[in-house]
Amino acid sequence: MQKRNIYILYALALLQGMVFYGPVATLYRQAQGVTIFQITLIESVSYLLCILLEVPWGVVADRIGYKKTMVICAWLYFLSKIIFWQASGFGGFLAERVLLSVVVTGLSGVDTSILYLCAGPDHSQRVFGIYNSLGMAGLLTASAVFTFFVGDNYRLAALLTVLSYGAAAILCLGLTEVRPADSQRARREPFVTTLRTTLAVPGLLGFLVAVGLLTETHQTVTVFLNQLQYERCGMGSAAIGGVYIAATLLGLCGVWSARLTGKTGTRGAAVLFCAVPALACALLASTDRALLSVGGIWLLRLSDTLFQPFQVRLQNEQVRTDNRATALSIHAMVLDVVAILTNLSFGALAERDLRLAFGFGVGICAAALALLLRWQRLRTRAMNG
C-alpha cells in the first residue's frame, strides 16, 4: 500500500503539473485586463488567506486523515481551474486565487507527509526529488502542447488544464490512508502544545524565513517577471514558449538533489542554493540581452529544482510531534508571511523598474544565506549539546 500511495502521488504530480497556460501565465492575465501589480496583489491576498487557513487545515487533516484531505483538495483544485478558465478581469482571477488558497493550505504538508511516511527518512529526499520532477515533466508536456499546437489561443490552454486536473481528482480516490486510525495521542494533543513543540526546534524560524526568501525569489521571477524581461529583450510568443520548455526540462533535475547535497553537505548546499539565485538575479538586473536573460532564468530554475527536495526533507526532519500535518502547516504559515512581503515588494519595484525587482532578489538571497548559516550553527550546537 505504501508503494501504491507513492505511485499515485507521482501520477498526481504529473497531471497537476500540466498547466497548459504556464508559458504565458502573466500575459494570459494581462490579456484579461489584469495589471502586473494587480497580479502580485492577488498573490499577496492569496498568501494572507493561506496564513489564516494553514493551521485550521492542518488540524483538520490530522483529525480526518490524509487521504480524505487529499481527495477534498483535489476536487477543489479541479473547480479552481474551471473558474480560471472562465475568469475575466481582476474579480474573476481573485476568486480563483481565493479558492486556490483553500486548496494549497489543505494540501500543505499532507502530500509530503504521505510521501515521507511511505518512503521513510532515508529515502525521502530521493522520493521528493522524483515527485517534484514529475510535476515538472507534466509542465513540460503541457508547455510543448502549448508551443506547438495551442499558440495564442489562451482559453484553449486553460480548458486543457481543466481536463488534466479533473483526471487528477478522479485518480486521487485510489489513495489509502497512512495515518493510523487509532493514533489517539496525536488526536488528544492540544494545538498550543503542537505549536510550542514545533517552534521550540532550534533555529527553525530562521530556516523557514530563508526557505521562503529563496522560494519566492524563484516563484516571482520565473513565473511572472521572466515574461516581462523576455518582452523587454524583444522576444516573441514562440520564443518565450520554447525557452519555457527548456526551463521546464531543468525542473527534471530534482532527482539528483539527494546526490548533490550528499556531496556538498548541508553548509555547502546552503551556500550553493543562495549564491546561484543571487547571481541569476544580478545577471537579469544588468542586461537586456535575450541570451543572458534566458541564462539567468535557467540558473534560477535549476537551483530551485535541486533546493526544494532538500528543504522539504529538512522540514520533515524537524517535526517533533505526531501531528505532522499541523506542524508542517505552522511551517507553511511562516513561509506565507514571507511570501506576502516579498511579493508586494517585487510587484511594487517591478512597476517602477524591472531592474530594481531583480536587484531586490539579489539582496534577499544574501539574507537567506546568513539565516541558513545561523540555523546550521544552532542545529549543530543543539545536536552536540
Side-chain angles (χ1 to χ4, degrees):
M1 291 300 181
Q2 291 183 341
K3 287 187 176 180
R4 176 183 174 181
N5 279 342
I6 291 174
Y7 292 145
I8 289 177
L9 281 170
Y10 283 169
L12 289 176
L14 182 68
L15 288 169
Q16 291 177 340
M18 291 184 182
V19 180
F20 291 87
Y21 57 81
V24 289
T26 300
L27 303 181
Y28 183 106
R29 291 171 171 87
Q30 288 183 323
Q32 300 302 320
V34 184
T35 68
I36 185 63
F37 181 74
Q38 287 177 327
I39 290 172
T40 56
L41 178 60
I42 289 172
E43 288 288 300
S44 296
V45 170
S46 174
Y47 284 125
L48 179 60
L49 286 173
C50 286
I51 291 173
L52 299 176
L53 295 173
E54 281 287 359
V55 170
W57 252 125
V59 173
V60 168
D62 281 322
R63 297 298 187 273
I64 69 174
Y66 297 161
K67 175 189 174 178
K68 288 182 181 178
T69 304
M70 286 289 298
V71 170
I72 292 170
C73 291
W75 284 95
L76 290 177
Y77 223 159
F78 175 43
L79 178 59
S80 75
K81 295 306 176 184
I82 294 175
I83 294 174
F84 185 93
W85 171 40
Q86 295 296 315
S88 179
F90 179 81
F93 288 102
L94 178 62
E96 178 265 340
R97 206 65 185 177
V98 167
L99 182 56
L100 189 60
S101 300
V102 176
V103 174
V104 170
T105 50
L107 292 175
S108 177
V110 175
D111 56 346
T112 56
S113 289
I114 294 174
L115 290 173
Y116 187 79
L117 292 173
C118 289
D122 294 339
H123 303 287
S124 61
Q125 187 173 340
R126 180 181 62 84
V127 170
F128 291 144
I130 296 172
Y131 182 62
N132 290 346
S133 294
L134 284 170
M136 290 298 103
L139 189 56
L140 173 64
T141 301
S143 300
V145 170
F146 173 84
T147 301
F148 298 113
F149 300 104
V150 176
D152 293 330
N153 192 341
Y154 294 172
R155 288 292 190 185
L156 175 59
L159 174 59
L160 292 175
T161 305
V162 169
L163 298 178
S164 179
Y165 275 70
I170 295 172
L171 182 63
C172 196
L173 297 172
L175 287 169
T176 57
E177 184 58 64
V178 295
R179 184 175 173 80
D182 59 351
S183 183
Q184 294 299 322
R185 184 175 65 173
R187 292 172 185 269
R188 288 197 302 264
E189 182 178 86
F191 168 71
V192 173
T193 302
T194 303
L195 177 64
R196 187 183 301 116
T197 302
T198 300
L199 297 182
V201 177
L204 178 66
L205 282 177
F207 169 80
L208 292 174
V209 171
V211 168
L213 292 175
L214 293 174
T215 300
E216 292 310 312
T217 297
H218 168 266
Q219 171 73 9
T220 306
V221 174
T222 65
V223 175
F224 299 112
L225 302 185
N226 63 332
Q227 294 159 43
L228 302 179
Q229 176 74 358
Y230 292 154
E231 283 195 324
R232 178 176 167 231
C233 297
M235 295 171 60
S237 295
I240 291 175
V243 167
Y244 191 86
I245 290 174
T248 305
L249 273 172
L250 293 174
L252 303 178
C253 296
V255 295
W256 295 309
S257 175
R259 183 180 303 177
L260 174 66
T261 58
K263 292 181 178 180
T264 63
T266 302
R267 182 183 178 84
V271 174
L272 180 66
F273 292 138
C274 294
V276 172
L279 175 63
C281 287
L283 183 60
L284 290 167
S286 62
T287 187
D288 58 2
R289 295 184 178 181
L291 186 60
L292 292 177
S293 297
V294 169
I297 297 299
W298 286 355
L299 275 177
L300 267 173
R301 174 55 62 88
L302 179 60
S303 177
D304 188 72
T305 297
L306 295 168
F307 174 64
Q308 289 305 322
F310 173 67
Q311 69 88 6
V312 172
R313 174 178 65 82
L314 290 176
Q315 277 196 59
N316 275 274
E317 286 180 353
Q318 294 178 89
V319 173
R320 301 289 185 266
T321 172
D322 290 333
N323 281 329
R324 179 170 294 274
T326 304
L328 291 174
S329 289
I330 294 169
H331 291 190
M333 187 168 61
V334 176
L335 297 176
D336 291 338
V337 172
V338 176
I340 289 176
L341 298 176
T342 56
N343 263 274
L344 288 175
S345 299
F346 270 120
L349 290 170
E351 288 273 298
R352 294 179 58 188
D353 190 325
L354 196 55
R355 292 170 296 184
L356 292 176
F358 293 135
F360 176 68
V362 175
I364 63 176
C365 287
L369 177 58
L371 289 169
L372 285 177
L373 293 178
R374 180 178 182 275
W375 161 78
Q376 190 190 23
R377 287 196 300 270
L378 292 173
R379 189 185 190 209
T380 302
R381 188 182 305 163
M383 291 174 65
N384 294 335

